[in-house]
């Protein structure tokens, strides 16, 4: 300061943070887009690291697992799978990572039926580095299919009975 208390000069550093602010805004927009895509389906969806760490999931998946979405990020997917199903789940996931191809299977667990699809996320070198899993509860569909199969068996049985009665009636009428 000068003798009269006025500032003579100011020393400082100026940093342009425009790029950082734009990157942060882009990241927020990307997160909103990802969340919208994940929650656009009624299917349960989860995105995993190769070791099974959950990095993203939708609300239906959190509901299926009985927890809040934010509490599941960073936990291990295999901790939520019934113990008897872990070996096959790990094998199917490993196969998807190695082959880079999607897979689909139907399974039953605790009285419910599920259609599970695995989709590897491929990097620029063509290698799978994450795995997206979509699970649809198809219990009602399976029950309807089983009921239809049972009805078809009953109808076939009745058809056979009618054919037997027709044959017997034909024999009686010939006499």
């Amino acid at each position: 300061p000068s003798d009269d208390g006025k500032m003579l000069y100011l020393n400082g550093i100026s940093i342009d943070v425009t790029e950082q602010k734009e990157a942060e805004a882009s990241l927020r927009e990307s997160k909103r887009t990802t969340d919208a895509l994940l929650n656009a389906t009624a299917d349960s969806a989860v995105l995993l690291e190769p070791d099974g760490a959950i990095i993203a999931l939708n609300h239906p998946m959190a509901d299926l697992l009985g927890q809040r979405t934010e509490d599941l990020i960073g936990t291990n997917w295999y901790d939520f799978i019934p113990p008897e199903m872990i070996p096959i789940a790990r094998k199917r996931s490993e196969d998807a990572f190695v082959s880079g191809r999607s897979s689909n299977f139907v399974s039953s667990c605790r009285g419910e039926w599920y259609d599970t699809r695995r989709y590897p996320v491929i990097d620029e070198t063509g290698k799978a580095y994450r795995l997206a899993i979509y699970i649809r509860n198809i219990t009602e569909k399976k029950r309807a299919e089983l009921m239809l199969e049972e009805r078809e068996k009953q109808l076939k049985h009745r058809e056979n009975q009618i054919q037997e009665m027709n044959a017997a009636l034909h024999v009686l009428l010939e006499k």
Side-chain angles (χ1 to χ4, degrees):
S2 66
D3 293 337
D4 60 358
K6 293 184 180 177
M7 189 179 301
L8 296 175
Y9 60 90
L10 175 66
N11 190 7
I13 298 175
S14 175
I15 300 174
D16 184 358
V17 294
T18 304
E19 284 184 27
Q20 179 181 346
K21 292 296 182 183
E22 288 172 349
E24 289 171 357
S26 178
L27 185 60
R28 282 191 302 275
E29 177 61 25
S30 178
K31 171 114 175 69
R32 282 193 298 272
T33 300
T34 300
D35 289 347
L37 286 170
L38 276 172
N39 288 297
T41 179
D43 292 349
S44 299
V46 63
L47 186 62
L48 306 177
E49 294 286 2
D51 64 358
I54 296 173
I55 56 174
L57 70 156
N58 66 0
H59 299 302
M61 180 62 80
D63 292 343
L64 180 66
L65 299 177
Q67 296 197 31
R68 296 177 336 154
T69 305
E70 55 272 14
D71 293 339
L72 290 163
I73 302 298
T75 62
N76 195 286
W77 170 247
Y78 299 106
D79 291 342
F80 300 97
I81 296 176
E84 67 275 10
M85 297 185 75
I86 291 174
I88 191 71
R90 281 190 186 278
K91 174 79 171 102
R92 287 182 173 143
S93 294
E94 288 168 10
D95 289 348
F97 275 110
V98 171
S99 72
R101 291 191 310 259
S102 62
S103 66
N104 173 267
F105 67 96
V106 173
S107 62
S108 176
C109 178
R110 298 179 180 147
E112 299 285 314
W113 286 89
Y114 298 97
D115 180 9
T116 302
R117 291 181 168 88
R118 284 180 163 76
Y119 299 96
V121 180
I122 308 298
D123 67 15
E124 61 278 350
T125 68
K127 183 180 176 202
Y129 72 103
R130 288 187 174 149
L131 186 64
I133 300 176
Y134 292 86
I135 300 174
R136 177 175 293 167
N137 187 321
I138 58 168
T139 302
E140 292 305 315
K141 177 184 174 192
K142 277 302 242 186
R143 287 180 183 153
E145 288 173 357
L146 293 171
M147 191 181 307
L148 183 59
E149 286 175 18
E150 184 58 33
R151 294 283 185 202
E152 286 174 351
K153 285 179 189 176
Q154 291 171 354
L155 285 173
K156 187 66 175 167
H157 178 71
R158 293 218 172 133
E159 180 184 353
N160 289 339
Q161 286 178 325
I162 290 171
Q163 287 175 352
E164 289 172 8
M165 284 197 266
N166 257 352
L169 186 58
H170 184 69
V171 169
L172 286 174
L173 290 174
E174 286 181 355
K175 289 185 179 183

